[in-house]
Amino acid sequence: MPFLLEHCDALGSPELAVFLGEWAWSATTEDGPVAAGGIYEQWPGRGYCWFAAREGGFDRRLWPSITQAVKAAADRGLSTGTFRRVEMTIYDSHEAAKRWAVKLGFRPEALCEKLMPDGSDGWMYVRVQ
């Protein structure tokens, strides 16, 4: 079934619709997509979280619903045994992203030198079952 904006009411949020597929989700408002993310299975038992948000104009009021969708995907993946480990990388300089990872139930595992695409350092955050 195609996802329609009318489904926002059914999801309990008239300003944000969150579609949670097997391991991916997208957040859409009447202005169009605002964010997407998911868990990519790198190999059996290991998942990698990814996230992308629309540049500019992102409404911070959407974060509670987005956070709930991301946490639900990680919770489900770990509780069903699909993943033994779910990880994400975060720029060392991005304090808000580090706080968000902790809200999602992740813990910092290691600071990795030159990990990020621009050559800067990044943190590996993980959840394990």
Side-chain angles (χ1 to χ4, degrees), residues 3-4 7-8 11-13 15-21 24-29 34-35 62-70 72:
F3 185 78
L4 304 172
H7 294 130
C8 292
L11 292 170
S13 176
E15 61 197 24
L16 174 69
V18 175
F19 170 74
L20 184 60
W25 58 271
S26 64
T28 306
T29 67
V34 294
L62 305 177
W63 276 110
S65 295
I66 290 171
T67 298
Q68 183 179 11
V70 174

Side-chain angles (χ1 to χ4, degrees), residues 28-106:
T28 306
T29 67
E30 61 187 24
D31 295 327
V34 294
I39 303 173
Y40 169 74
E41 187 175 17
Q42 291 182 308
W43 54 74
R46 183 180 183 194
Y48 182 81
C49 287
W50 62 273
F51 176 80
R54 182 172 67 197
E55 188 174 347
F58 188 77
D59 188 338
R60 296 182 59 80
R61 294 177 300 162
L62 305 177
W63 276 110
S65 295
I66 290 171
T67 298
Q68 183 179 11
V70 174
K71 187 171 185 319
D75 289 349
R76 191 166 36 91
L78 290 165
S79 69
T80 62
T82 301
F83 302 114
R84 294 180 307 273
R85 174 186 177 92
V86 178
E87 60 190 40
M88 65 172 64
T89 54
I90 298 173
Y91 282 89
D92 183 39
S93 61
H94 201 309
E95 296 302 320
K98 293 177 193 176
R99 289 190 302 274
W100 189 54
V102 171
K103 284 183 181 180
L104 296 171
F106 287 76

